[in-house]
Amino acid sequence: MKKTILVGVAILAVSTSGALAAKKMAKPKPAPAAATATTTAAAPPPMLGQVSAADRALYEKSQRESGMKKK
């Protein structure tokens, strides 16, 4: 009985934590206008694991073939 309740509480905690994280990410705060006008940032460093054009083309082809619509 205790194991069933514990599993239920764990599932509830995991499912609600994702919903709360998505809710917080929905409305990012805009940066102050004065701070963005005076600072100049260097180009970001290249990220590891970027998607190549061939990978993107294959992904789009797979989406079309599976019948998924574009967002």
Side-chain angles (χ1 to χ4, degrees):
M1 182 72 178
K2 290 181 182 180
K3 187 176 182 180
T4 305
I5 294 172
L6 182 62
V7 170
V9 170
I11 291 172
L12 179 67
V14 170
S15 64
T16 55
S17 65
L20 292 175
K23 187 175 182 180
K24 289 181 182 179
M25 299 288 288
K27 294 184 180 180
K29 293 182 180 180
T36 58
T38 58
T39 59
T40 57
M47 294 179 60
L48 296 175
Q50 289 182 338
V51 179
S52 67
D55 288 339
R56 183 69 186 171
L58 181 62
Y59 172 75
E60 290 174 358
K61 179 183 173 193
S62 297
Q63 295 295 311
R64 281 192 307 271
E65 289 177 352
S66 68
M68 292 189 68
K69 296 181 181 178
K70 288 187 177 182
K71 292 181 183 180

